[in-house]
Short mmCIF file of all heavy atoms in Angstrom, two decimals:
data_model
loop_
_atom_site.label_atom_id
_atom_site.label_comp_id
_atom_site.label_asym_id
_atom_site.label_seq_id
_atom_site.Cartn_x
_atom_site.Cartn_y
_atom_site.Cartn_z
N ASN C 56 -189.95 117.08 -42.41
CA ASN C 56 -189.33 115.96 -41.75
C ASN C 56 -187.83 116.11 -41.84
O ASN C 56 -187.31 116.75 -42.73
CB ASN C 56 -189.95 114.67 -42.27
CG ASN C 56 -189.19 113.84 -43.26
OD1 ASN C 56 -187.99 113.94 -43.39
ND2 ASN C 56 -189.90 113.00 -43.96
N THR C 57 -187.13 115.48 -40.95
CA THR C 57 -185.68 115.67 -40.83
C THR C 57 -184.93 115.15 -42.06
O THR C 57 -183.99 115.78 -42.53
CB THR C 57 -185.14 114.97 -39.57
OG1 THR C 57 -185.85 115.47 -38.45
CG2 THR C 57 -183.66 115.25 -39.38
N PHE C 58 -185.35 114.01 -42.60
CA PHE C 58 -184.68 113.47 -43.78
C PHE C 58 -184.79 114.43 -44.96
O PHE C 58 -183.81 114.74 -45.62
CB PHE C 58 -185.27 112.11 -44.16
CG PHE C 58 -184.68 111.56 -45.44
CD1 PHE C 58 -183.41 111.03 -45.44
CD2 PHE C 58 -185.38 111.61 -46.63
CE1 PHE C 58 -182.85 110.54 -46.61
CE2 PHE C 58 -184.83 111.12 -47.79
CZ PHE C 58 -183.56 110.58 -47.79
N THR C 59 -185.98 114.95 -45.21
CA THR C 59 -186.19 115.90 -46.31
C THR C 59 -185.35 117.15 -46.12
O THR C 59 -184.71 117.63 -47.05
CB THR C 59 -187.68 116.27 -46.43
OG1 THR C 59 -188.42 115.08 -46.62
CG2 THR C 59 -187.91 117.21 -47.59
N GLU C 60 -185.33 117.68 -44.91
CA GLU C 60 -184.52 118.87 -44.63
C GLU C 60 -183.04 118.58 -44.87
O GLU C 60 -182.33 119.39 -45.44
CB GLU C 60 -184.75 119.34 -43.20
CG GLU C 60 -186.12 119.93 -42.98
CD GLU C 60 -186.42 120.20 -41.52
OE1 GLU C 60 -185.56 119.90 -40.67
OE2 GLU C 60 -187.51 120.70 -41.24
N SER C 61 -182.58 117.41 -44.46
CA SER C 61 -181.18 117.04 -44.64
C SER C 61 -180.83 116.99 -46.12
O SER C 61 -179.80 117.48 -46.55
CB SER C 61 -180.92 115.69 -43.98
OG SER C 61 -179.60 115.29 -44.24
N VAL C 62 -181.70 116.39 -46.92
CA VAL C 62 -181.44 116.29 -48.35
C VAL C 62 -181.45 117.67 -48.99
O VAL C 62 -180.58 118.01 -49.78
CB VAL C 62 -182.49 115.37 -49.03
CG1 VAL C 62 -182.39 115.46 -50.53
CG2 VAL C 62 -182.32 113.94 -48.55
N LEU C 63 -182.41 118.51 -48.65
CA LEU C 63 -182.52 119.83 -49.24
C LEU C 63 -181.36 120.74 -48.89
O LEU C 63 -180.89 121.50 -49.72
CB LEU C 63 -183.84 120.50 -48.84
CG LEU C 63 -185.10 119.91 -49.45
CD1 LEU C 63 -186.33 120.59 -48.86
CD2 LEU C 63 -185.09 120.04 -50.95
N PHE C 64 -180.87 120.68 -47.69
CA PHE C 64 -179.84 121.61 -47.25
C PHE C 64 -178.42 121.11 -47.53
O PHE C 64 -177.47 121.84 -47.37
CB PHE C 64 -180.00 121.96 -45.78
CG PHE C 64 -181.23 122.78 -45.53
CD1 PHE C 64 -182.32 122.24 -44.87
CD2 PHE C 64 -181.32 124.07 -45.99
CE1 PHE C 64 -183.47 122.99 -44.65
CE2 PHE C 64 -182.47 124.83 -45.80
CZ PHE C 64 -183.53 124.28 -45.12
N ASN C 65 -178.27 119.88 -47.98
CA ASN C 65 -176.94 119.35 -48.27
C ASN C 65 -176.70 119.20 -49.77
O ASN C 65 -175.76 118.55 -50.17
CB ASN C 65 -176.74 117.99 -47.58
CG ASN C 65 -176.59 118.16 -46.09
OD1 ASN C 65 -175.99 119.11 -45.64
ND2 ASN C 65 -177.15 117.24 -45.34
N MET C 66 -177.54 119.83 -50.58
CA MET C 66 -177.35 119.75 -52.03
C MET C 66 -176.16 120.61 -52.45
O MET C 66 -175.97 121.70 -51.93
CB MET C 66 -178.61 120.24 -52.75
CG MET C 66 -179.77 119.29 -52.61
SD MET C 66 -181.27 119.92 -53.40
CE MET C 66 -180.74 120.11 -55.07
N GLU C 67 -175.40 120.08 -53.36
CA GLU C 67 -174.25 120.82 -53.88
C GLU C 67 -174.67 121.56 -55.13
O GLU C 67 -175.31 121.00 -56.01
CB GLU C 67 -173.13 119.83 -54.21
CG GLU C 67 -171.90 120.49 -54.73
CD GLU C 67 -170.79 119.49 -55.03
OE1 GLU C 67 -170.85 118.36 -54.52
OE2 GLU C 67 -169.89 119.86 -55.78
N VAL C 68 -174.29 122.83 -55.23
CA VAL C 68 -174.59 123.63 -56.42
C VAL C 68 -173.48 123.39 -57.43
O VAL C 68 -172.31 123.56 -57.12
CB VAL C 68 -174.69 125.13 -56.07
CG1 VAL C 68 -174.89 125.95 -57.33
CG2 VAL C 68 -175.80 125.37 -55.08
N ARG C 69 -173.84 122.96 -58.63
CA ARG C 69 -172.88 122.71 -59.70
C ARG C 69 -173.11 123.70 -60.83
O ARG C 69 -174.24 123.97 -61.19
CB ARG C 69 -173.01 121.29 -60.25
CG ARG C 69 -172.76 120.19 -59.26
CD ARG C 69 -171.33 120.05 -58.89
NE ARG C 69 -170.56 119.78 -60.08
CZ ARG C 69 -169.26 119.66 -60.10
NH1 ARG C 69 -168.59 119.77 -59.00
NH2 ARG C 69 -168.61 119.44 -61.22
N TYR C 70 -172.05 124.23 -61.37
CA TYR C 70 -172.14 125.15 -62.49
C TYR C 70 -171.68 124.43 -63.76
O TYR C 70 -170.93 123.47 -63.70
CB TYR C 70 -171.25 126.37 -62.25
CG TYR C 70 -171.67 127.19 -61.07
CD1 TYR C 70 -171.09 127.04 -59.83
CD2 TYR C 70 -172.69 128.13 -61.20
CE1 TYR C 70 -171.49 127.80 -58.75
CE2 TYR C 70 -173.10 128.89 -60.12
CZ TYR C 70 -172.49 128.73 -58.90
OH TYR C 70 -172.89 129.48 -57.83
N MET C 71 -172.10 124.93 -64.88
CA MET C 71 -171.68 124.39 -66.17
C MET C 71 -170.39 125.11 -66.56
O MET C 71 -170.40 126.34 -66.72
CB MET C 71 -172.76 124.63 -67.21
CG MET C 71 -172.44 124.10 -68.56
SD MET C 71 -172.69 122.34 -68.71
CE MET C 71 -174.47 122.26 -68.66
N ALA C 72 -169.33 124.38 -66.69
CA ALA C 72 -168.05 125.00 -67.04
C ALA C 72 -168.01 125.42 -68.51
O ALA C 72 -168.75 124.89 -69.32
CB ALA C 72 -166.91 124.01 -66.77
N HIS C 73 -167.15 126.36 -68.80
CA HIS C 73 -166.90 126.74 -70.18
C HIS C 73 -165.77 125.84 -70.71
O HIS C 73 -165.00 125.27 -69.94
CB HIS C 73 -166.50 128.22 -70.25
CG HIS C 73 -167.67 129.13 -70.23
ND1 HIS C 73 -168.50 129.27 -69.15
CD2 HIS C 73 -168.17 129.95 -71.17
CE1 HIS C 73 -169.45 130.14 -69.43
NE2 HIS C 73 -169.27 130.57 -70.66
N VAL C 74 -165.68 125.74 -72.02
CA VAL C 74 -164.61 124.95 -72.64
C VAL C 74 -163.86 125.82 -73.66
O VAL C 74 -164.43 126.74 -74.24
CB VAL C 74 -165.15 123.69 -73.34
CG1 VAL C 74 -165.69 122.69 -72.34
CG2 VAL C 74 -166.22 124.02 -74.36
N ILE C 75 -162.61 125.50 -73.85
CA ILE C 75 -161.75 126.24 -74.76
C ILE C 75 -161.40 125.34 -75.94
O ILE C 75 -160.87 124.24 -75.75
CB ILE C 75 -160.48 126.74 -74.05
CG1 ILE C 75 -160.88 127.62 -72.85
CG2 ILE C 75 -159.59 127.50 -75.02
CD1 ILE C 75 -159.72 128.08 -71.98
N SER C 76 -161.69 125.80 -77.15
CA SER C 76 -161.46 124.99 -78.36
C SER C 76 -160.02 125.13 -78.84
O SER C 76 -159.22 125.89 -78.29
CB SER C 76 -162.42 125.45 -79.47
OG SER C 76 -161.99 126.69 -80.00
N ASP C 77 -159.73 124.43 -79.91
CA ASP C 77 -158.40 124.49 -80.52
C ASP C 77 -158.12 125.83 -81.20
O ASP C 77 -157.01 126.06 -81.68
CB ASP C 77 -158.23 123.35 -81.53
CG ASP C 77 -158.16 121.99 -80.85
OD1 ASP C 77 -157.81 121.95 -79.66
OD2 ASP C 77 -158.47 120.99 -81.51
N GLU C 78 -159.11 126.71 -81.25
CA GLU C 78 -158.90 128.06 -81.79
C GLU C 78 -158.08 128.93 -80.84
O GLU C 78 -157.67 130.04 -81.19
CB GLU C 78 -160.25 128.73 -82.07
CG GLU C 78 -161.11 128.01 -83.07
CD GLU C 78 -160.46 127.91 -84.44
OE1 GLU C 78 -159.90 128.92 -84.91
OE2 GLU C 78 -160.50 126.82 -85.01
N CYS C 79 -157.83 128.44 -79.63
CA CYS C 79 -157.04 129.17 -78.62
C CYS C 79 -155.65 129.47 -79.16
O CYS C 79 -154.96 128.59 -79.69
CB CYS C 79 -156.93 128.32 -77.35
SG CYS C 79 -155.89 129.03 -76.06
N VAL C 80 -155.23 130.73 -79.02
CA VAL C 80 -153.90 131.15 -79.47
C VAL C 80 -152.94 131.36 -78.30
O VAL C 80 -151.87 131.94 -78.46
CB VAL C 80 -153.98 132.43 -80.35
CG1 VAL C 80 -154.72 132.14 -81.64
CG2 VAL C 80 -154.61 133.58 -79.59
N MET C 81 -153.34 130.88 -77.12
CA MET C 81 -152.49 130.92 -75.92
C MET C 81 -152.10 132.34 -75.51
O MET C 81 -151.00 132.57 -75.03
CB MET C 81 -151.22 130.09 -76.13
CG MET C 81 -151.45 128.62 -76.46
SD MET C 81 -151.91 127.62 -75.06
CE MET C 81 -150.41 127.59 -74.12
N CYS C 82 -153.01 133.31 -75.68
CA CYS C 82 -152.69 134.69 -75.32
C CYS C 82 -152.84 134.95 -73.83
O CYS C 82 -152.26 135.90 -73.30
CB CYS C 82 -153.56 135.66 -76.12
SG CYS C 82 -155.32 135.64 -75.67
N GLY C 83 -153.65 134.15 -73.14
CA GLY C 83 -153.81 134.32 -71.70
C GLY C 83 -154.86 135.32 -71.28
O GLY C 83 -155.04 135.56 -70.09
N ALA C 84 -155.57 135.91 -72.23
CA ALA C 84 -156.59 136.91 -71.89
C ALA C 84 -157.68 136.31 -71.01
O ALA C 84 -158.17 136.95 -70.08
CB ALA C 84 -157.20 137.51 -73.15
N CYS C 85 -158.04 135.08 -71.28
CA CYS C 85 -159.11 134.42 -70.51
C CYS C 85 -158.69 134.21 -69.06
O CYS C 85 -159.47 134.48 -68.13
CB CYS C 85 -159.47 133.07 -71.14
SG CYS C 85 -158.07 131.94 -71.33
N ALA C 86 -157.48 133.75 -68.85
CA ALA C 86 -156.99 133.52 -67.50
C ALA C 86 -156.90 134.82 -66.71
O ALA C 86 -157.17 134.86 -65.51
CB ALA C 86 -155.63 132.83 -67.54
N ALA C 87 -156.57 135.88 -67.40
CA ALA C 87 -156.43 137.18 -66.74
C ALA C 87 -157.75 137.72 -66.22
O ALA C 87 -157.78 138.45 -65.23
CB ALA C 87 -155.79 138.19 -67.70
N VAL C 88 -158.86 137.38 -66.89
CA VAL C 88 -160.16 137.92 -66.47
C VAL C 88 -160.98 136.96 -65.63
O VAL C 88 -162.03 137.34 -65.10
CB VAL C 88 -161.01 138.39 -67.68
CG1 VAL C 88 -160.32 139.52 -68.41
CG2 VAL C 88 -161.33 137.24 -68.62
N CYS C 89 -160.53 135.73 -65.46
CA CYS C 89 -161.29 134.75 -64.67
C CYS C 89 -161.25 135.12 -63.19
O CYS C 89 -160.18 135.19 -62.59
CB CYS C 89 -160.72 133.34 -64.87
SG CYS C 89 -161.60 132.09 -63.91
N PRO C 90 -162.44 135.37 -62.57
CA PRO C 90 -162.46 135.81 -61.18
C PRO C 90 -162.15 134.71 -60.16
O PRO C 90 -161.90 135.01 -58.99
CB PRO C 90 -163.89 136.32 -61.00
CG PRO C 90 -164.69 135.51 -61.95
CD PRO C 90 -163.78 135.31 -63.15
N VAL C 91 -162.15 133.45 -60.59
CA VAL C 91 -161.90 132.35 -59.65
C VAL C 91 -160.68 131.52 -60.04
O VAL C 91 -160.49 130.42 -59.55
CB VAL C 91 -163.15 131.45 -59.50
CG1 VAL C 91 -164.29 132.19 -58.84
CG2 VAL C 91 -163.59 130.87 -60.85
N THR C 92 -159.85 132.03 -60.93
CA THR C 92 -158.64 131.37 -61.42
C THR C 92 -158.90 129.91 -61.82
O THR C 92 -158.16 129.01 -61.45
CB THR C 92 -157.46 131.47 -60.42
OG1 THR C 92 -157.84 130.85 -59.20
CG2 THR C 92 -157.08 132.91 -60.17
N ALA C 93 -159.94 129.70 -62.62
CA ALA C 93 -160.29 128.36 -63.09
C ALA C 93 -159.57 128.00 -64.38
O ALA C 93 -159.70 126.88 -64.86
CB ALA C 93 -161.81 128.27 -63.31
N ILE C 94 -158.82 128.93 -64.94
CA ILE C 94 -158.18 128.71 -66.24
C ILE C 94 -156.67 128.67 -66.07
O ILE C 94 -156.07 129.52 -65.42
CB ILE C 94 -158.57 129.81 -67.24
CG1 ILE C 94 -160.10 129.83 -67.39
CG2 ILE C 94 -157.88 129.61 -68.58
CD1 ILE C 94 -160.62 130.97 -68.22
N SER C 95 -156.06 127.63 -66.66
CA SER C 95 -154.61 127.51 -66.59
C SER C 95 -154.06 127.12 -67.96
O SER C 95 -154.79 126.66 -68.84
CB SER C 95 -154.22 126.45 -65.56
OG SER C 95 -154.78 125.20 -65.90
N GLU C 96 -152.77 127.31 -68.11
CA GLU C 96 -152.13 127.02 -69.38
C GLU C 96 -151.94 125.52 -69.55
O GLU C 96 -151.39 124.85 -68.68
CB GLU C 96 -150.77 127.73 -69.43
CG GLU C 96 -150.11 127.69 -70.77
CD GLU C 96 -148.84 128.54 -70.81
OE1 GLU C 96 -148.69 129.44 -70.00
OE2 GLU C 96 -148.02 128.26 -71.70
N GLY C 97 -152.43 125.00 -70.66
CA GLY C 97 -152.24 123.59 -70.99
C GLY C 97 -151.11 123.43 -71.98
O GLY C 97 -150.35 124.37 -72.22
N ASP C 98 -151.00 122.25 -72.58
CA ASP C 98 -149.91 122.00 -73.53
C ASP C 98 -150.06 122.80 -74.82
O ASP C 98 -149.11 123.41 -75.29
CB ASP C 98 -149.84 120.51 -73.87
CG ASP C 98 -149.37 119.68 -72.69
OD1 ASP C 98 -148.65 120.22 -71.82
OD2 ASP C 98 -149.73 118.49 -72.63
N SER C 99 -151.27 122.78 -75.40
CA SER C 99 -151.46 123.46 -76.68
C SER C 99 -152.54 124.53 -76.64
O SER C 99 -152.79 125.21 -77.63
CB SER C 99 -151.81 122.44 -77.77
OG SER C 99 -153.01 121.78 -77.43
N LYS C 100 -153.20 124.66 -75.49
CA LYS C 100 -154.24 125.68 -75.30
C LYS C 100 -154.50 125.83 -73.81
O LYS C 100 -154.08 125.00 -73.01
CB LYS C 100 -155.53 125.29 -76.04
CG LYS C 100 -156.16 124.01 -75.51
CD LYS C 100 -157.41 123.66 -76.31
CE LYS C 100 -158.01 122.36 -75.80
NZ LYS C 100 -159.20 121.97 -76.56
N TYR C 101 -155.18 126.90 -73.45
CA TYR C 101 -155.58 127.07 -72.06
C TYR C 101 -156.73 126.11 -71.77
O TYR C 101 -157.47 125.72 -72.67
CB TYR C 101 -155.99 128.52 -71.79
CG TYR C 101 -154.81 129.40 -71.46
CD1 TYR C 101 -153.95 129.85 -72.45
CD2 TYR C 101 -154.55 129.77 -70.16
CE1 TYR C 101 -152.85 130.63 -72.16
CE2 TYR C 101 -153.45 130.56 -69.85
CZ TYR C 101 -152.61 130.99 -70.84
OH TYR C 101 -151.52 131.75 -70.53
N VAL C 102 -156.87 125.71 -70.51
CA VAL C 102 -157.92 124.77 -70.12
C VAL C 102 -158.70 125.32 -68.92
O VAL C 102 -158.15 126.06 -68.10
CB VAL C 102 -157.35 123.38 -69.78
CG1 VAL C 102 -156.79 122.70 -71.02
CG2 VAL C 102 -156.29 123.47 -68.71
N VAL C 103 -159.98 124.96 -68.85
CA VAL C 103 -160.85 125.38 -67.77
C VAL C 103 -161.04 124.22 -66.80
O VAL C 103 -161.38 123.11 -67.22
CB VAL C 103 -162.23 125.83 -68.30
CG1 VAL C 103 -163.16 126.22 -67.17
CG2 VAL C 103 -162.08 126.96 -69.29
N ASP C 104 -160.83 124.47 -65.52
CA ASP C 104 -161.08 123.46 -64.49
C ASP C 104 -162.57 123.49 -64.17
O ASP C 104 -163.05 124.45 -63.56
CB ASP C 104 -160.25 123.76 -63.24
CG ASP C 104 -160.41 122.72 -62.15
OD1 ASP C 104 -161.43 121.99 -62.14
OD2 ASP C 104 -159.53 122.65 -61.28
N PRO C 105 -163.34 122.46 -64.55
CA PRO C 105 -164.78 122.48 -64.34
C PRO C 105 -165.20 122.47 -62.88
O PRO C 105 -166.31 122.87 -62.54
CB PRO C 105 -165.27 121.23 -65.07
CG PRO C 105 -164.09 120.33 -65.11
CD PRO C 105 -162.88 121.24 -65.19
N ASP C 106 -164.30 122.04 -62.00
CA ASP C 106 -164.62 122.03 -60.57
C ASP C 106 -164.49 123.41 -59.94
O ASP C 106 -164.97 123.65 -58.84
CB ASP C 106 -163.73 121.04 -59.82
CG ASP C 106 -164.02 119.61 -60.22
OD1 ASP C 106 -165.19 119.30 -60.54
OD2 ASP C 106 -163.08 118.79 -60.21
N VAL C 107 -163.82 124.32 -60.63
CA VAL C 107 -163.61 125.68 -60.11
C VAL C 107 -164.48 126.70 -60.85
O VAL C 107 -164.93 127.67 -60.27
CB VAL C 107 -162.12 126.07 -60.20
CG1 VAL C 107 -161.88 127.48 -59.70
CG2 VAL C 107 -161.25 125.07 -59.42
N CYS C 108 -164.72 126.47 -62.13
CA CYS C 108 -165.49 127.40 -62.98
C CYS C 108 -166.88 127.67 -62.40
O CYS C 108 -167.58 126.74 -62.00
CB CYS C 108 -165.61 126.81 -64.38
SG CYS C 108 -166.56 127.84 -65.52
N ILE C 109 -167.26 128.94 -62.35
CA ILE C 109 -168.59 129.33 -61.84
C ILE C 109 -169.52 129.77 -62.96
O ILE C 109 -170.58 130.33 -62.71
CB ILE C 109 -168.48 130.42 -60.76
CG1 ILE C 109 -167.79 131.67 -61.30
CG2 ILE C 109 -167.77 129.87 -59.52
CD1 ILE C 109 -167.87 132.88 -60.39
N ASP C 110 -169.12 129.56 -64.20
CA ASP C 110 -169.95 129.86 -65.36
C ASP C 110 -170.37 131.32 -65.45
O ASP C 110 -171.49 131.64 -65.80
CB ASP C 110 -171.19 128.94 -65.37
CG ASP C 110 -171.93 128.97 -66.69
OD1 ASP C 110 -171.28 129.13 -67.73
OD2 ASP C 110 -173.17 128.86 -66.67
N CYS C 111 -169.44 132.21 -65.15
CA CYS C 111 -169.76 133.64 -65.18
C CYS C 111 -169.68 134.22 -66.59
O CYS C 111 -170.26 135.26 -66.88
CB CYS C 111 -168.86 134.41 -64.24
SG CYS C 111 -167.13 134.47 -64.74
N GLY C 112 -168.89 133.58 -67.48
CA GLY C 112 -168.77 134.05 -68.85
C GLY C 112 -167.71 135.10 -69.08
O GLY C 112 -167.54 135.57 -70.21
N ALA C 113 -166.98 135.49 -68.06
CA ALA C 113 -165.94 136.52 -68.23
C ALA C 113 -164.88 136.07 -69.23
O ALA C 113 -164.42 136.87 -70.04
CB ALA C 113 -165.29 136.84 -66.89
N CYS C 114 -164.52 134.81 -69.20
CA CYS C 114 -163.51 134.31 -70.12
C CYS C 114 -164.00 134.35 -71.56
O CYS C 114 -163.26 134.71 -72.47
CB CYS C 114 -163.10 132.89 -69.74
SG CYS C 114 -164.46 131.69 -69.75
N GLU C 115 -165.26 133.99 -71.75
CA GLU C 115 -165.84 134.00 -73.10
C GLU C 115 -165.83 135.42 -73.67
O GLU C 115 -165.48 135.64 -74.82
CB GLU C 115 -167.27 133.47 -73.03
CG GLU C 115 -167.93 133.27 -74.36
CD GLU C 115 -169.32 132.65 -74.25
OE1 GLU C 115 -169.83 132.44 -73.13
OE2 GLU C 115 -169.90 132.40 -75.30
N ASP C 116 -166.19 136.38 -72.84
CA ASP C 116 -166.18 137.78 -73.27
C ASP C 116 -164.77 138.30 -73.51
O ASP C 116 -164.57 139.17 -74.35
CB ASP C 116 -166.88 138.67 -72.23
CG ASP C 116 -168.37 138.37 -72.10
OD1 ASP C 116 -168.95 137.81 -73.06
OD2 ASP C 116 -168.93 138.69 -71.04
N GLY C 117 -163.80 137.79 -72.77
CA GLY C 117 -162.43 138.28 -72.88
C GLY C 117 -161.59 137.62 -73.94
O GLY C 117 -160.49 138.08 -74.24
N CYS C 118 -162.10 136.55 -74.54
CA CYS C 118 -161.31 135.82 -75.54
C CYS C 118 -161.35 136.54 -76.90
O CYS C 118 -162.43 136.68 -77.50
CB CYS C 118 -161.84 134.41 -75.69
SG CYS C 118 -160.95 133.44 -76.94
N PRO C 119 -160.21 136.96 -77.43
CA PRO C 119 -160.20 137.68 -78.70
C PRO C 119 -160.48 136.81 -79.92
O PRO C 119 -160.80 137.33 -80.99
CB PRO C 119 -158.78 138.26 -78.77
CG PRO C 119 -157.96 137.33 -77.97
CD PRO C 119 -158.87 136.85 -76.85
N THR C 120 -160.36 135.48 -79.78
CA THR C 120 -160.58 134.61 -80.94
C THR C 120 -161.91 133.88 -80.91
O THR C 120 -162.24 133.14 -81.84
CB THR C 120 -159.46 133.56 -81.05
OG1 THR C 120 -159.51 132.70 -79.90
CG2 THR C 120 -158.10 134.21 -81.17
N GLY C 121 -162.67 134.05 -79.83
CA GLY C 121 -163.96 133.35 -79.73
C GLY C 121 -163.81 131.86 -79.49
O GLY C 121 -164.69 131.07 -79.82
N ALA C 122 -162.70 131.46 -78.88
CA ALA C 122 -162.40 130.04 -78.67
C ALA C 122 -163.12 129.44 -77.46
O ALA C 122 -163.05 128.25 -77.24
CB ALA C 122 -160.90 129.85 -78.51
N ILE C 123 -163.81 130.28 -76.68
CA ILE C 123 -164.44 129.79 -75.46
C ILE C 123 -165.96 129.81 -75.59
O ILE C 123 -166.55 130.82 -75.97
CB ILE C 123 -164.00 130.64 -74.25
CG1 ILE C 123 -162.47 130.64 -74.17
CG2 ILE C 123 -164.62 130.11 -72.96
CD1 ILE C 123 -161.90 131.56 -73.12
N THR C 124 -166.55 128.67 -75.23
CA THR C 124 -168.00 128.54 -75.29
C THR C 124 -168.50 127.79 -74.05
O THR C 124 -167.72 127.07 -73.42
CB THR C 124 -168.44 127.75 -76.54
OG1 THR C 124 -167.79 126.47 -76.54
CG2 THR C 124 -168.10 128.50 -77.82
N PRO C 125 -169.77 127.96 -73.72
CA PRO C 125 -170.32 127.18 -72.59
C PRO C 125 -170.30 125.69 -72.93
O PRO C 125 -170.52 125.30 -74.07
CB PRO C 125 -171.75 127.68 -72.47
CG PRO C 125 -171.78 129.00 -73.18
CD PRO C 125 -170.74 128.90 -74.26
N ALA C 126 -170.00 124.87 -71.94
CA ALA C 126 -170.03 123.41 -72.13
C ALA C 126 -171.48 122.98 -72.33
O ALA C 126 -172.41 123.62 -71.85
CB ALA C 126 -169.43 122.72 -70.94
N GLU C 127 -171.64 121.88 -73.02
CA GLU C 127 -173.00 121.36 -73.26
C GLU C 127 -173.30 120.23 -72.32
O GLU C 127 -172.50 119.54 -71.85
CB GLU C 127 -173.13 120.91 -74.70
CG GLU C 127 -173.02 122.09 -75.64
CD GLU C 127 -173.23 121.66 -77.09
OE1 GLU C 127 -173.73 120.56 -77.34
OE2 GLU C 127 -172.89 122.46 -77.96
#
């Protein structure tokens, strides 16, 4: 039926963003490897924009201090 098709085809895909803890040393390694530029420099640590993050994990792998984890 048309209503069901409309609902199914207009669904938005949402990803779970990663988060950066206070262990961040502001080295920028995470931002350098993010394929969608979802990471930017904040006041005391880098931050992930959850609307841009595609949950690929590149930042988590690239962080030398282990400050990045998947959001819960």
Side-chain angles (χ1 to χ4, degrees):
N56 103 21
T57 304
F58 176 75
T59 302
E60 290 171 358
S61 176
V62 170
L63 289 175
F64 292 110
N65 289 323
M66 290 177 59
E67 181 179 341
V68 175
R69 298 288 301 177
Y70 296 97
M71 181 79 71
H73 278 66
V74 292
I75 302 175
S76 74
D77 291 337
E78 299 299 315
C79 176
V80 295
M81 302 283 290
C82 69
C85 56
V88 297
C89 179
V91 294
T92 60
I94 302 173
S95 59
E96 189 173 338
D98 291 334
S99 61
K100 63 182 178 181
Y101 275 76
V102 293
V103 178
D104 182 338
D106 293 328
V107 178
C108 179
I109 59 169
D110 193 33
C111 68
C114 59
E115 187 176 4
D116 294 338
C118 179
T120 64
I123 305 173
T124 56
E127 294 183 15

